[in-house]
């Protein structure tokens, strides 16, 4: 079993920055990917960014060049640096970790005011 702890959400003005952190803990697990998804009201959950254990990254087109995902494999932690934020980035952001199983965090609210 893997537990995920998310932190760093909050309120920011358009053009500002936030950093999200996801920390995974548990026993005897090997992470394959860590990523962030988001879900805005009335919309489906969508990929924001993910990173594999080898460092390969994927980004949604809407955040490419504004958001950066990184990880610390030794600490089982993923960071999402969000810059030049827009009101349309407002959503609940969920950490997702894959081992041999998929784990989801509880979500953290990110609100970008115009």
């Amino acid at each position: 079993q893997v537990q995920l702890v998310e932190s760093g959400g909050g309120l920011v003005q358009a053009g500002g920055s936030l950093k999200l952190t996801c920390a995974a803990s548990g026993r005897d697990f090997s992470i394959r990917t860590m990523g962030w998804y988001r879900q805005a009201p009335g919309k489906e959950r969508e990929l924001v960014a993910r990173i594999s254990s080898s460092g390969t990254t994927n980004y949604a087109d809407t955040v490419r060049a504004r958001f950066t995902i990184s990880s610390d494999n030794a600490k089982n932690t993923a960071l999402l640096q969000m810059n030049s934020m827009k009101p349309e980035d407002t959503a609940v952001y969920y950490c997702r970790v894959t081992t041999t199983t998929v784990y989801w965090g509880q979500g953290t609210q990110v609100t970008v005011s115009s």
Side-chain angles (χ1 to χ4, degrees), residues 8-91:
L11 174 65
V12 65
Q13 289 187 333
S17 299
L18 280 176
K19 183 171 69 176
L20 303 182
T21 301
C22 176
S25 63
R27 295 183 62 182
D28 300 326
F29 67 97
S30 178
I31 293 176
R32 295 177 179 175
T33 67
M34 299 188 77
W36 290 94
Y37 287 68
R38 67 187 181 188
Q39 188 166 19
K43 296 188 176 181
E44 294 186 352
R45 192 172 298 188
E46 62 177 5
L47 170 70
V48 177
R50 64 177 168 225
I51 185 167
S52 71
S53 58
S54 64
T56 301
T57 56
N58 298 97
Y59 293 93
D61 289 342
T62 53
V63 307
R64 198 183 308 276
R66 299 188 297 121
F67 292 9
T68 302
I69 190 168
S70 60
S71 65
D72 183 334
N73 291 338
K75 296 181 179 179
N76 293 322
T77 301
L79 303 176
L80 183 68
Q81 179 66 46
M82 304 184 290
N83 298 327
S84 302
M85 297 190 73
K86 304 176 181 180
E88 50 263 44
D89 294 322
T90 296

Side-chain angles (χ1 to χ4, degrees), residues 90-110:
T90 296
V92 178
Y93 284 67
Y94 297 90
C95 178
R96 179 181 185 269
V97 169
T98 62
T99 60
T100 56
T101 307
V102 176
Y103 298 92
W104 289 93
Q106 293 189 331
T108 184
Q109 177 69 47
V110 171

